[in-house]
Amino acid sequence: QLQLQESGPGLVKPSETLSLTCTVSGGSISSSSYYWGWIRQPPGKGLEWIGSIYYSGSTYYNPSLKSRVTISVDTSKNQFSLKLSSVTAADTAVYYCARAYWYQLPPSFDYWGQGTLVTVSS
Amino acid sequence: QSVLTQPPSASGTPGQRVTISCSGSSSNIGSNTVNWYQQLPGTAPKLLIYSNNQRPSGVPDRFSGSKSGTSASLAISGLQSEDEADYYCAAWDDSLNAVVFGGGTKLTVL
């Protein structure tokens, strides 16, 4: 059974960089047809797609966040990571990692991590 | 302000049929398929419907999806208490080159 687990600091200071890692177990991150993505959800609000990456390194980013986001993949560790720079309180959210079946648009996020709350505060 | 528009709330009694709408535009729902996600309280979202009307393995056939033009709908028949959750539609927007979500609909089972 595929499992995804987010890890990283739960508290980040304003203007600093948020860094999270998603570890995939029970399957290979190098599987064809699948991208790997990040989605966030501010407390009490809806979902926002951040971006997705293929094991080869090909990426798609939400244009509203693109200038601040970097998603990378480490196939040797079966992990992919998120970096969001210059954070503000508006970036406080539960961050989910998920597998995206990209055979048709929109991609279908069929496996999700449990989510991790990141709070931006001094 | 979400790119896709959903009613903030919906409700029904056990056994009823309820529908949740999702309105978009020609650049998203009008030109691509729609997915639906169910988010139970305190949990990660779960893929409920993909490609407008396809159910992943394990999703009961009480859940169905449809699309017409630039709008989509999720229907839940035989409503059960465990269906109380937030529901989100999602589509690809060709203009933004991005996945876009609706604002979510909170379903209450009375």
Side-chain angles (χ1 to χ4, degrees):
Chain A
Q1 176 79 347
L2 191 74
Q3 292 186 315
L4 292 84
Q5 179 68 57
E6 306 90 350
S7 59
L11 181 64
V12 181
K13 290 182 168 55
S15 79
E16 295 190 344
T17 296
L18 178 159
S19 296
L20 295 174
T21 295
C22 182
T23 301
V24 179
S25 59
S28 173
I29 203 168
S30 301
S31 298
S32 60
S33 299
Y34 295 109
Y35 273 67
W36 304 87
W38 292 95
I39 299 102
R40 69 179 184 179
Q41 184 172 37
K45 296 188 178 181
L47 302 170
E48 180 180 33
W49 175 70
I50 299 171
S52 296
I53 190 166
Y54 195 54
Y55 75 92
S56 63
S58 172
T59 54
Y60 288 94
Y61 293 136
N62 187 325
S64 69
L65 298 169
K66 187 173 184 176
S67 64
R68 299 193 291 131
V69 171
T70 301
I71 298 177
S72 58
V73 63
D74 186 337
T75 55
S76 67
K77 295 182 179 179
N78 230 31
Q79 295 176 333
F80 61 104
S81 299
L82 168 70
K83 291 189 184 298
L84 180 66
S85 64
S86 304
V87 297
T88 69
D91 295 309
T92 294
V94 174
Y95 285 75
Y96 295 100
C97 61
R99 187 180 80 168
Y101 191 29
W102 211 280
Y103 79 103
Q104 186 174 13
L105 297 177
S108 300
F109 297 103
D110 58 356
Y111 282 90
W112 295 66
Q114 65 185 24
T116 187
L117 174 63
V118 179
T119 301
V120 178
S121 175
S122 55
Chain B
Q1 190 82 357
S2 302
V3 173
L4 305 180
T5 301
Q6 298 181 235
S9 63
S11 63
T13 56
Q16 259 191 335
R17 181 178 187 272
V18 298
T19 61
I20 296 171
S21 62
C22 176
S23 178
S25 68
S26 58
S27 64
N28 42 66
I29 294 178
S31 51
N32 293 291
T33 64
V34 176
N35 294 344
W36 290 90
Y37 296 86
Q38 176 194 57
Q39 187 176 32
L40 297 171
T43 69
K46 168 191 170 183
L47 180 64
L48 196 65
I49 297 286
Y50 66 95
S51 298
N52 299 330
N53 54 20
Q54 302 299 302
R55 288 184 305 276
S57 174
V59 173
D61 60 6
R62 302 187 296 106
F63 295 91
S64 62
S66 63
K67 189 189 99 166
S68 179
T70 59
S71 293
S73 291
L74 172 71
I76 309 171
S77 60
L79 197 61
Q80 300 180 3
S81 58
E82 55 260 41
D83 298 333
E84 191 161 281
D86 293 325
Y87 293 85
Y88 295 90
C89 58
W92 180 265
D93 192 289
D94 291 334
S95 297
L96 297 173
N97 215 33
V99 177
V100 292
F101 285 96
T105 298
K106 184 176 183 61
L107 175 64
T108 300
V109 180
L110 303 169

